[in-house]
């Protein structure tokens, strides 16, 4: 009954055909998948595994680390450093890149990851995930910090694992976005969602509305129109979703469409957005584009953004193409002064005193 199913390794052999360094890249992705299976087994144990809760430390972002963050990070480092495939690795949990230990050979890829995205969700038994990105390092010398600072369009592979009711691995090497489900009995990822395609239109949006007072006017405009539903500008009703787990939000959008926003806000000008460019936004943007969607900062295609720091943050708006492009247009109209809505200091909403609304 298992015959004829496409396993991850079988899939990679055909999918990587024609890509430079195909054998090494395939082997690296299989190592990542092995780490993901181990992390999946730990998260699935829940409280019985003793992995929930915090450790007595904070990471580079000043966040308290969950035990699972630390274990997932070590799992990925150990799974991928020994095989002569990576030249170095960088992680959300580490201040600086992790060099390949001297006893191992260095390869020609850089692996960048968020080992456990949404880790605080593990305590309440909500889906968490691992996000990763593979870049090239075609230099003889070991990578310096600057070698990691590549725009998302230079990624050779990107993906995430989601640890939900089922564990899935969603992957792209620039030939579409494909989903695999972990068969726990045989320990293999099986291709179950080939060629994921995000519908161009949607009626679902996801945003953290507790930040509404910090949003820029174009985001207010979009959300207000969605909320107005059938009686408003859009002429149809929208639903809102918010799981507060990037991987879970993106997975929903890849499967059934929608738009997700963690936009630039006015809280802290030094942090233009909340998500990290290198190991969250860039890999997710590649997966979304490869599935026919669009990913933007609101003002620029996400895959074009050139990182200036390892842990740089960036505004993220992604999902169904027509919706994301509409939000980009609202930003452009606002920036060029075509649409300068009055923002009430009391309610921080678009007021009715817009010329077209006076009629
Ligand atoms: Zn994360």
């Amino acid at each position: 009954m298992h015959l004829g199913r496409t396993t991850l390794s079988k899939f990679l052999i055909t999918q990587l055909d024609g890509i430079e360094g195909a054998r090494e890249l395939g082997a690296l992705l299989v190592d990542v998948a092995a780490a993901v299976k181990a992390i999946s087994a730990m998260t699935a144990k829940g409280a019985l595994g003793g992995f929930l809760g915090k450790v007595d430390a904070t990471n580079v972002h000043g966040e308290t680390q969950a035990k699972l963050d630390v274990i997932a990070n070590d799992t990925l480092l150990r799974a991928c450093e020994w095989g002569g495939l990576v030249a170095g690795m960088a992680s959300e949990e580490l201040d600086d890149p992790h060099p390949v230990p001297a006893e191992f050979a260095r390869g020609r890829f850089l692996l960048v990851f968020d080992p456990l995205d949404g880790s605080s969700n593990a305590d309440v038994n909500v889906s968490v995930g691992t996000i990763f990105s593979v870049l090239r390092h075609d230099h003889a010398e070991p990578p310096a910090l600057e070698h990691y600072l590549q725009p998302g369009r230079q990624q050779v592979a990107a993906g995430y694992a989601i640890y939900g009711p089922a564990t899935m691995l969603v992957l792209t090497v620039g030939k579409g976005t494909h989903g695999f489900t972990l068969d726990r009995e045989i320990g293999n990822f099986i291709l179950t969602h080939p060629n994921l395609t995000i519908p161009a239109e949607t009626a679902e949006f996801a945003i953290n509305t507790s930040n509404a007072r910090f949003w820029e006017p174009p985001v207010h405009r979009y959300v207000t129109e969605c909320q107005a539903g059938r009686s408003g500008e859009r002429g149809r009703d929208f639903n809102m979703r918010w799981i507060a787990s990037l991987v879970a939000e993106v997975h929903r959008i890849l499967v059934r469409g929608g738009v997700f926003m963690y936009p630039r806000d006015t809280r802290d000008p030094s942090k233009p957005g909340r998500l990290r460019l290198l190991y969250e936004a860039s890999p997710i943007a590649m997966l979304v584009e490869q599935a026919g969607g669009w990913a933007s900062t609101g003002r620029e295609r996400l895959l074009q953004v050139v990182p200036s720091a390892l842990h740089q943050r960036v505004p993220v708006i992604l999902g169904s193409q027509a919706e994301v492009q509409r939000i980009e247009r609202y930003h452009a109209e606002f920036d060029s002064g075509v649409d300068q809505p009055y923002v009430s200091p009391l309610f921080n909403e678009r007021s009715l005193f817009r010329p077209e609304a006076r009629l």
Side-chain angles (χ1 to χ4, degrees):
M1 114 196 213
H2 295 326
L3 295 176
R5 304 201 301 183
T6 303
T7 61
L8 176 66
S9 335
K10 190 169 159 188
F11 171 85
L12 287 172
I13 288 168
T14 46
Q15 185 81 176
L16 293 172
D17 190 39
I19 292 179
E20 200 197 321
R23 282 172 66 95
E24 292 78 10
L25 179 57
L28 174 57
L29 293 173
V30 167
D31 283 350
V32 170
V36 158
K37 285 183 215 170
I39 297 168
S40 167
M42 288 184 274
T43 55
K45 285 194 172 71
L48 298 176
F51 303 123
L52 300 185
K54 307 283 185 212
V55 292
D56 200 13
T58 50
N59 69 9
V60 51
H61 316 287
E63 302 157 344
T64 327
Q65 286 177 301
K67 284 180 199 164
L68 275 171
D69 283 326
V70 177
I71 299 168
N73 186 58
D74 288 346
T75 303
L76 275 155
L77 293 176
R78 298 295 92 81
C80 301
E81 70 185 358
W82 62 274
L85 303 166
V86 296
M89 290 181 269
S91 162
E92 172 164 10
E93 299 300 326
L94 302 172
D95 296 18
D96 302 309
H98 173 84
V100 173
E103 65 263 40
F104 303 125
R106 264 197 330 270
R108 295 195 303 152
F109 294 106
L110 302 175
L111 180 68
V112 184
F113 52 81
D114 178 355
L116 205 68
D117 179 65
S119 53
S120 59
N121 279 330
D123 289 349
V124 291
N125 205 14
V126 167
S127 297
V128 289
T130 297
I131 312 172
F132 61 92
S133 161
V134 182
L135 299 160
R136 287 194 191 279
H137 180 72
D138 287 323
H139 308 273
E141 72 272 20
L145 176 61
E146 74 209 49
H147 294 115
Y148 287 89
L149 306 182
Q150 302 184 35
R153 64 184 146 77
Q154 292 182 14
Q155 294 171 103
V156 283
Y160 66 79
I162 179 166
Y163 314 110
T167 288
M168 286 190 67
L169 181 69
V170 177
L171 186 69
T172 181
V173 296
K175 299 179 182 177
T177 294
H178 309 280
F180 302 80
T181 303
L182 180 61
D183 183 331
R184 293 180 199 273
E185 282 163 36
I186 58 169
N188 256 339
F189 277 108
I190 308 296
L191 181 64
T192 48
H193 295 63
N195 292 305
L196 284 161
T197 307
I198 301 176
E201 299 280 350
T202 182
E204 280 185 348
F205 69 100
I207 191 165
N208 182 353
T209 53
S210 71
N211 293 328
R213 66 192 185 281
F214 304 115
W215 293 342
E216 292 187 301
V219 173
H220 266 290
R221 178 181 174 186
Y222 180 78
V223 172
T224 305
E225 286 177 4
C226 290
Q227 288 169 334
R230 203 180 305 232
S231 56
E233 185 120 4
R234 301 301 304 270
R236 57 194 165 97
D237 292 338
F238 282 76
N239 255 322
M240 205 198 87
R241 296 284 179 266
W242 188 254
I243 311 173
S245 164
L246 175 65
V247 164
E249 308 278 0
V250 168
H251 192 70
R252 181 189 64 249
I253 289 171
L254 283 171
V255 172
R256 71 174 192 208
V259 57
F260 167 91
M261 290 169 273
Y262 214 118
R264 174 187 296 273
D265 65 37
T266 56
R267 231 177 323 181
D268 178 356
S270 70
K271 291 179 185 167
R274 173 153 192 286
L275 299 173
R276 282 70 176 207
L277 175 56
L278 268 170
Y279 40 80
E280 291 182 323
S282 284
I284 295 296
M286 183 176 182
L287 291 161
V288 164
E289 280 202 14
Q290 286 291 319
W294 196 242
S296 171
T297 65
R299 295 179 165 91
E300 186 182 8
R301 182 184 171 213
L302 257 176
L303 289 180
Q304 301 282 8
V305 179
V306 182
S308 55
L310 201 57
H311 299 288
Q312 179 176 342
R313 295 170 195 258
V314 71
V316 172
I317 297 166
L318 58 80
S320 299
Q321 201 172 105
E323 295 298 314
V324 178
Q325 286 173 351
R326 172 186 284 266
I327 300 166
E328 283 185 326
R329 175 163 62 79
Y330 288 1
H331 280 82
E333 288 176 3
F334 173 71
D335 291 348
S336 67
V338 176
D339 176 63
Q340 288 282 1
Y342 167 75
V343 175
S344 158
L346 271 185
F347 302 108
N348 209 7
E349 276 177 353
R350 289 163 64 80
S351 87
L352 292 174
F353 300 107
R354 285 157 58 204
E356 71 268 32
R358 242 181 253 151
L359 301 170

